[in-house]
Amino acid sequence: MLSPQHIAALEALVGADGLVRDAADLAPYEQAARYGGGKAVLVVRPADTAQVSAVVGYCVREGLSFIPQGANTGLVLGSTPDKAGGQIVLSLDRLRAPFEIDTADRTVRVGAGVRLSALNAALEPHGLFLPIDLGADPMIGGMAATNTGGARFLRYGDMRRHVLGLEIVLADAAGTVLRLGDGLRKDNAALDLRQVVVGSCGALGVITEVTVEVKTRPTHTAAALLVPRDEDAVLDLLLAFEKEAGEHLTAFEGMSRASMTHALKHVASLRNPFSGGEIPAYAVLVELTSTSAAALDEALERVLTGLFEREDAPLADAILAPPERSWALRHSLSEGLRASGPVTGFDLSFKRSRVMDFRREAIAALAAEFPDYEVCDFGHIGDGGVHFNMLRAEGPASPERAAALNDAVLDLAVRKYGGSFSGEHGIGRANQAAYDAYTPEDLKRLSGAVVDLFSKAPAGAARFGPARA
């Protein structure tokens, strides 16, 4: 229970500007990015690592429940308070220092509250960028905490491949500050706990500072929308582009007819790029990039010509367009779905060879069992990721039917196809039950032991391992 004495003590630690108490001002910290949310008793906004340490230590000593929050762009309720109204939100939005760009080392050291857009804007004059492509604008600390992936994972990988150093505050009575890594690319002098923290979703501590490796910004880009001969040809196309385009291949994004239809219907700025306006059953956005003066348009056309000329041609059509026009369609898919009705989203991941087989079986099975839902999937086919969205235009389903749908999709994806129920979104309240159901008991026990070794996890943080007091 938060008392006036607690509020006064926290205000003494962060100052009056570091507290948010009025109901109207609390609202942005309480509402989740896609759906749901809860009720915060207070928002505390430390300005630096020392203040984070002081706040965390005080909350642990006083038994106050808190949940760390970055930009609140996550989709699994991992950064918003629950509905009980007793949790403090520990917002990191004031942690914008340091901001140190080292062009020689090609690294940047930033506070956890720096947003991806701000980082890339500062890097642009240097010809550099952090190549994590997302439909949201998260903070760098949250990206490290959830090991963010994105649409260009195929070329650049996830945050784990870019994080060279971290500063975290452990959730213990002292608010212990721990530095993990000093920005070195090679360092085998100790156990690399930095990589344990990346992707831990706040269970091991509160990230306050991140050092990331950044990349040289591409200067040339070519893209096309591909219409495969059929579903079985998608993997064939991917392998052909990997072989023929090599390191220039940056993205290979799949889009279903349903998802494209809703985007074109609800996003006024979009134009239908397909021949005769007929939206294909499935399309793939392929992108090539280069930092040199490579003739990418000619290279792309050469690969496409070879595919069309094959006796077993896997390609039915290809639309060449400016890259920004192709990406506009891809980036509008989520917006189109939100405008169409309640969406139940699944963040799935498979071996690449099993993605289209899963789609085929899942769509047929769900059409028979859940005809009131429409499958509107899209995803990062190049890395096996699928955003398997279920749209119910009639309005929200009953809790029982929603639970049945959830079980049907996840049982098929995880148990039969060996996939992951969280390809890149991490663990939060929205999928904690899936973690409990599908994670082997030995792994849960070991994960729980790791959390205990670091500290007592912040109340509300992801629960990796069995429930603990």
Side-chain angles (χ1 to χ4, degrees), residues 431-462:
N431 60 5
Q432 182 69 57
Y435 176 88
D436 295 339
Y438 297 109
T439 305
E441 291 301 319
D442 287 346
L443 180 55
K444 283 192 283 190
R445 283 194 294 270
L446 182 58
S447 299
V450 171
V451 172
D452 289 339
L453 281 173
F454 269 74
S455 62
K456 179 180 179 183

mmCIF file of all heavy atoms in Angstrom, residues 431-462:
data_model
loop_
_atom_site.group_PDB
_atom_site.id
_atom_site.type_symbol
_atom_site.label_atom_id
_atom_site.label_comp_id
_atom_site.label_asym_id
_atom_site.label_seq_id
_atom_site.Cartn_x
_atom_site.Cartn_y
_atom_site.Cartn_z
ATOM 1 N N ASN A 431 1.349 -13.066 -22.459
ATOM 2 C CA ASN A 431 1.753 -14.412 -22.873
ATOM 3 C C ASN A 431 2.486 -15.182 -21.775
ATOM 4 O O ASN A 431 3.153 -16.172 -22.053
ATOM 5 C CB ASN A 431 2.604 -14.360 -24.148
ATOM 6 C CG ASN A 431 3.878 -13.542 -23.993
ATOM 7 O OD1 ASN A 431 4.195 -13.079 -22.896
ATOM 8 N ND2 ASN A 431 4.603 -13.371 -25.073
ATOM 9 N N GLN A 432 2.344 -14.734 -20.527
ATOM 10 C CA GLN A 432 2.955 -15.467 -19.424
ATOM 11 C C GLN A 432 2.381 -16.884 -19.323
ATOM 12 O O GLN A 432 3.107 -17.846 -19.059
ATOM 13 C CB GLN A 432 2.731 -14.735 -18.104
ATOM 14 C CG GLN A 432 3.374 -15.406 -16.895
ATOM 15 C CD GLN A 432 4.896 -15.341 -16.928
ATOM 16 O OE1 GLN A 432 5.457 -14.256 -17.010
ATOM 17 N NE2 GLN A 432 5.558 -16.476 -16.858
ATOM 18 N N ALA A 433 1.070 -17.021 -19.565
ATOM 19 C CA ALA A 433 0.451 -18.347 -19.490
ATOM 20 C C ALA A 433 1.039 -19.278 -20.550
ATOM 21 O O ALA A 433 1.202 -20.481 -20.307
ATOM 22 C CB ALA A 433 -1.067 -18.232 -19.665
ATOM 23 N N ALA A 434 1.362 -18.739 -21.727
ATOM 24 C CA ALA A 434 1.983 -19.561 -22.762
ATOM 25 C C ALA A 434 3.374 -20.010 -22.325
ATOM 26 O O ALA A 434 3.766 -21.165 -22.556
ATOM 27 C CB ALA A 434 2.057 -18.784 -24.076
ATOM 28 N N TYR A 435 4.120 -19.113 -21.694
ATOM 29 C CA TYR A 435 5.431 -19.499 -21.164
ATOM 30 C C TYR A 435 5.275 -20.638 -20.162
ATOM 31 O O TYR A 435 6.008 -21.629 -20.197
ATOM 32 C CB TYR A 435 6.097 -18.294 -20.502
ATOM 33 C CG TYR A 435 7.425 -18.611 -19.844
ATOM 34 C CD1 TYR A 435 8.606 -18.559 -20.576
ATOM 35 C CD2 TYR A 435 7.491 -18.976 -18.500
ATOM 36 C CE1 TYR A 435 9.817 -18.859 -19.980
ATOM 37 C CE2 TYR A 435 8.700 -19.277 -17.902
ATOM 38 C CZ TYR A 435 9.867 -19.219 -18.643
ATOM 39 O OH TYR A 435 11.064 -19.531 -18.044
ATOM 40 N N ASP A 436 4.321 -20.494 -19.273
ATOM 41 C CA ASP A 436 4.099 -21.522 -18.259
ATOM 42 C C ASP A 436 3.699 -22.855 -18.882
ATOM 43 O O ASP A 436 4.089 -23.926 -18.397
ATOM 44 C CB ASP A 436 3.013 -21.068 -17.274
ATOM 45 C CG ASP A 436 3.435 -19.845 -16.470
ATOM 46 O OD1 ASP A 436 4.651 -19.586 -16.369
ATOM 47 O OD2 ASP A 436 2.543 -19.137 -15.955
ATOM 48 N N ALA A 437 2.924 -22.798 -19.978
ATOM 49 C CA ALA A 437 2.389 -24.019 -20.570
ATOM 50 C C ALA A 437 3.387 -24.731 -21.486
ATOM 51 O O ALA A 437 3.419 -25.968 -21.524
ATOM 52 C CB ALA A 437 1.118 -23.695 -21.363
ATOM 53 N N TYR A 438 4.208 -23.982 -22.217
ATOM 54 C CA TYR A 438 5.012 -24.590 -23.274
ATOM 55 C C TYR A 438 6.508 -24.683 -22.967
ATOM 56 O O TYR A 438 7.243 -25.313 -23.724
ATOM 57 C CB TYR A 438 4.818 -23.814 -24.579
ATOM 58 C CG TYR A 438 3.401 -23.852 -25.092
ATOM 59 C CD1 TYR A 438 2.585 -22.728 -25.051
ATOM 60 C CD2 TYR A 438 2.858 -25.031 -25.604
ATOM 61 C CE1 TYR A 438 1.280 -22.763 -25.506
ATOM 62 C CE2 TYR A 438 1.562 -25.078 -26.068
ATOM 63 C CZ TYR A 438 0.778 -23.943 -26.012
ATOM 64 O OH TYR A 438 -0.522 -23.980 -26.465
ATOM 65 N N THR A 439 6.960 -24.063 -21.896
ATOM 66 C CA THR A 439 8.390 -24.098 -21.569
ATOM 67 C C THR A 439 8.689 -25.318 -20.707
ATOM 68 O O THR A 439 8.005 -25.552 -19.696
ATOM 69 C CB THR A 439 8.804 -22.820 -20.824
ATOM 70 O OG1 THR A 439 8.433 -21.684 -21.611
ATOM 71 C CG2 THR A 439 10.301 -22.794 -20.571
ATOM 72 N N PRO A 440 9.680 -26.113 -21.070
ATOM 73 C CA PRO A 440 10.010 -27.305 -20.276
ATOM 74 C C PRO A 440 10.317 -26.957 -18.819
ATOM 75 O O PRO A 440 10.910 -25.913 -18.525
ATOM 76 C CB PRO A 440 11.255 -27.859 -20.988
ATOM 77 C CG PRO A 440 11.152 -27.342 -22.395
ATOM 78 C CD PRO A 440 10.518 -25.996 -22.277
ATOM 79 N N GLU A 441 9.923 -27.847 -17.918
ATOM 80 C CA GLU A 441 10.069 -27.576 -16.489
ATOM 81 C C GLU A 441 11.521 -27.370 -16.088
ATOM 82 O O GLU A 441 11.835 -26.506 -15.258
ATOM 83 C CB GLU A 441 9.447 -28.710 -15.672
ATOM 84 C CG GLU A 441 7.930 -28.783 -15.768
ATOM 85 C CD GLU A 441 7.264 -27.493 -15.303
ATOM 86 O OE1 GLU A 441 7.723 -26.923 -14.290
ATOM 87 O OE2 GLU A 441 6.304 -27.060 -15.955
ATOM 88 N N ASP A 442 12.438 -28.143 -16.647
ATOM 89 C CA ASP A 442 13.848 -27.979 -16.307
ATOM 90 C C ASP A 442 14.349 -26.583 -16.693
ATOM 91 O O ASP A 442 15.122 -25.965 -15.952
ATOM 92 C CB ASP A 442 14.698 -29.043 -16.998
ATOM 93 C CG ASP A 442 14.528 -30.421 -16.376
ATOM 94 O OD1 ASP A 442 13.966 -30.486 -15.255
ATOM 95 O OD2 ASP A 442 14.945 -31.417 -16.990
ATOM 96 N N LEU A 443 13.910 -26.106 -17.845
ATOM 97 C CA LEU A 443 14.326 -24.783 -18.284
ATOM 98 C C LEU A 443 13.723 -23.701 -17.399
ATOM 99 O O LEU A 443 14.384 -22.702 -17.069
ATOM 100 C CB LEU A 443 13.916 -24.569 -19.743
ATOM 101 C CG LEU A 443 14.282 -23.217 -20.365
ATOM 102 C CD1 LEU A 443 15.774 -22.950 -20.241
ATOM 103 C CD2 LEU A 443 13.839 -23.164 -21.823
ATOM 104 N N LYS A 444 12.472 -23.882 -16.984
ATOM 105 C CA LYS A 444 11.855 -22.904 -16.091
ATOM 106 C C LYS A 444 12.571 -22.847 -14.745
ATOM 107 O O LYS A 444 12.799 -21.766 -14.190
ATOM 108 C CB LYS A 444 10.369 -23.238 -15.891
ATOM 109 C CG LYS A 444 9.499 -22.850 -17.074
ATOM 110 C CD LYS A 444 8.022 -22.905 -16.759
ATOM 111 C CE LYS A 444 7.493 -24.321 -16.740
ATOM 112 N NZ LYS A 444 6.019 -24.362 -16.667
ATOM 113 N N ARG A 445 12.937 -24.003 -14.220
ATOM 114 C CA ARG A 445 13.646 -24.018 -12.928
ATOM 115 C C ARG A 445 15.004 -23.332 -13.048
ATOM 116 O O ARG A 445 15.389 -22.540 -12.174
ATOM 117 C CB ARG A 445 13.814 -25.460 -12.446
ATOM 118 C CG ARG A 445 12.553 -26.063 -11.853
ATOM 119 C CD ARG A 445 12.873 -27.339 -11.085
ATOM 120 N NE ARG A 445 13.363 -28.400 -11.975
ATOM 121 C CZ ARG A 445 12.567 -29.278 -12.580
ATOM 122 N NH1 ARG A 445 11.259 -29.216 -12.416
ATOM 123 N NH2 ARG A 445 13.073 -30.211 -13.366
ATOM 124 N N LEU A 446 15.736 -23.611 -14.113
ATOM 125 C CA LEU A 446 17.043 -23.001 -14.290
ATOM 126 C C LEU A 446 16.910 -21.489 -14.501
ATOM 127 O O LEU A 446 17.679 -20.699 -13.942
ATOM 128 C CB LEU A 446 17.760 -23.637 -15.479
ATOM 129 C CG LEU A 446 19.182 -23.139 -15.764
ATOM 130 C CD1 LEU A 446 20.073 -23.341 -14.551
ATOM 131 C CD2 LEU A 446 19.765 -23.847 -16.975
ATOM 132 N N SER A 447 15.930 -21.081 -15.294
ATOM 133 C CA SER A 447 15.713 -19.654 -15.529
ATOM 134 C C SER A 447 15.350 -18.942 -14.232
ATOM 135 O O SER A 447 15.840 -17.834 -13.957
ATOM 136 C CB SER A 447 14.594 -19.452 -16.560
ATOM 137 O OG SER A 447 14.936 -20.038 -17.803
ATOM 138 N N GLY A 448 14.504 -19.570 -13.443
ATOM 139 C CA GLY A 448 14.139 -18.979 -12.159
ATOM 140 C C GLY A 448 15.336 -18.835 -11.240
ATOM 141 O O GLY A 448 15.470 -17.845 -10.505
ATOM 142 N N ALA A 449 16.230 -19.801 -11.292
ATOM 143 C CA ALA A 449 17.434 -19.732 -10.459
ATOM 144 C C ALA A 449 18.333 -18.584 -10.895
ATOM 145 O O ALA A 449 18.952 -17.911 -10.059
ATOM 146 C CB ALA A 449 18.194 -21.062 -10.524
ATOM 147 N N VAL A 450 18.421 -18.336 -12.203
ATOM 148 C CA VAL A 450 19.223 -17.217 -12.706
ATOM 149 C C VAL A 450 18.644 -15.894 -12.220
ATOM 150 O O VAL A 450 19.368 -14.994 -11.777
ATOM 151 C CB VAL A 450 19.291 -17.247 -14.245
ATOM 152 C CG1 VAL A 450 19.938 -15.970 -14.782
ATOM 153 C CG2 VAL A 450 20.062 -18.460 -14.723
ATOM 154 N N VAL A 451 17.318 -15.759 -12.285
ATOM 155 C CA VAL A 451 16.670 -14.538 -11.795
ATOM 156 C C VAL A 451 16.989 -14.330 -10.321
ATOM 157 O O VAL A 451 17.328 -13.225 -9.879
ATOM 158 C CB VAL A 451 15.147 -14.607 -12.017
ATOM 159 C CG1 VAL A 451 14.458 -13.423 -11.333
ATOM 160 C CG2 VAL A 451 14.819 -14.613 -13.501
ATOM 161 N N ASP A 452 16.906 -15.396 -9.542
ATOM 162 C CA ASP A 452 17.183 -15.286 -8.119
ATOM 163 C C ASP A 452 18.630 -14.898 -7.838
ATOM 164 O O ASP A 452 18.919 -14.186 -6.872
ATOM 165 C CB ASP A 452 16.861 -16.611 -7.417
ATOM 166 C CG ASP A 452 15.362 -16.873 -7.330
ATOM 167 O OD1 ASP A 452 14.596 -15.895 -7.437
ATOM 168 O OD2 ASP A 452 14.964 -18.038 -7.179
ATOM 169 N N LEU A 453 19.554 -15.356 -8.683
ATOM 170 C CA LEU A 453 20.956 -15.003 -8.500
ATOM 171 C C LEU A 453 21.188 -13.511 -8.723
ATOM 172 O O LEU A 453 22.019 -12.899 -8.049
ATOM 173 C CB LEU A 453 21.836 -15.805 -9.458
ATOM 174 C CG LEU A 453 22.137 -17.250 -9.065
ATOM 175 C CD1 LEU A 453 22.867 -17.953 -10.202
ATOM 176 C CD2 LEU A 453 22.984 -17.299 -7.800
ATOM 177 N N PHE A 454 20.482 -12.935 -9.679
ATOM 178 C CA PHE A 454 20.645 -11.510 -9.937
ATOM 179 C C PHE A 454 20.036 -10.669 -8.826
ATOM 180 O O PHE A 454 20.651 -9.734 -8.337
ATOM 181 C CB PHE A 454 20.003 -11.144 -11.284
ATOM 182 C CG PHE A 454 20.955 -11.242 -12.445
ATOM 183 C CD1 PHE A 454 21.336 -12.479 -12.943
ATOM 184 C CD2 PHE A 454 21.455 -10.106 -13.041
ATOM 185 C CE1 PHE A 454 22.211 -12.582 -14.015
ATOM 186 C CE2 PHE A 454 22.329 -10.185 -14.112
ATOM 187 C CZ PHE A 454 22.717 -11.432 -14.609
ATOM 188 N N SER A 455 18.817 -10.977 -8.465
ATOM 189 C CA SER A 455 18.109 -10.166 -7.475
ATOM 190 C C SER A 455 16.691 -10.693 -7.330
ATOM 191 O O SER A 455 16.297 -11.655 -7.968
ATOM 192 C CB SER A 455 18.046 -8.696 -7.938
ATOM 193 O OG SER A 455 17.326 -8.601 -9.151
ATOM 194 N N LYS A 456 15.955 -10.001 -6.508
ATOM 195 C CA LYS A 456 14.516 -10.242 -6.457
ATOM 196 C C LYS A 456 13.912 -9.465 -7.609
ATOM 197 O O LYS A 456 14.035 -8.249 -7.673
ATOM 198 C CB LYS A 456 13.926 -9.755 -5.133
ATOM 199 C CG LYS A 456 12.430 -9.969 -5.029
ATOM 200 C CD LYS A 456 11.901 -9.453 -3.694
ATOM 201 C CE LYS A 456 10.390 -9.654 -3.604
ATOM 202 N NZ LYS A 456 9.853 -9.098 -2.338
ATOM 203 N N ALA A 457 13.273 -10.163 -8.538
ATOM 204 C CA ALA A 457 12.773 -9.510 -9.746
ATOM 205 C C ALA A 457 11.746 -8.445 -9.402
ATOM 206 O O ALA A 457 10.963 -8.598 -8.468
ATOM 207 C CB ALA A 457 12.145 -10.538 -10.680
ATOM 208 N N PRO A 458 11.741 -7.311 -10.158
ATOM 209 C CA PRO A 458 10.718 -6.292 -9.948
ATOM 210 C C PRO A 458 9.325 -6.885 -10.088
ATOM 211 O O PRO A 458 9.069 -7.659 -11.007
ATOM 212 C CB PRO A 458 10.989 -5.274 -11.063
ATOM 213 C CG PRO A 458 12.399 -5.518 -11.477
ATOM 214 C CD PRO A 458 12.653 -6.980 -11.254
ATOM 215 N N ALA A 459 8.440 -6.551 -9.155
ATOM 216 C CA ALA A 459 7.067 -7.047 -9.250
ATOM 217 C C ALA A 459 6.465 -6.568 -10.560
ATOM 218 O O ALA A 459 6.510 -5.396 -10.899
ATOM 219 C CB ALA A 459 6.248 -6.528 -8.070
ATOM 220 N N GLY A 460 5.902 -7.485 -11.324
ATOM 221 C CA GLY A 460 5.337 -7.151 -12.625
ATOM 222 C C GLY A 460 6.260 -7.463 -13.762
ATOM 223 O O GLY A 460 5.849 -7.466 -14.913
ATOM 224 N N ALA A 461 7.547 -7.728 -13.479
ATOM 225 C CA ALA A 461 8.468 -8.085 -14.551
ATOM 226 C C ALA A 461 8.151 -9.477 -15.053
ATOM 227 O O ALA A 461 7.428 -10.252 -14.420
ATOM 228 C CB ALA A 461 9.917 -8.026 -14.040
ATOM 229 N N ALA A 462 8.691 -9.824 -16.219
ATOM 230 C CA ALA A 462 8.468 -11.149 -16.775
ATOM 231 C C ALA A 462 8.898 -12.225 -15.780
ATOM 232 O O ALA A 462 9.896 -12.089 -15.100
ATOM 233 C CB ALA A 462 9.267 -11.300 -18.071
#
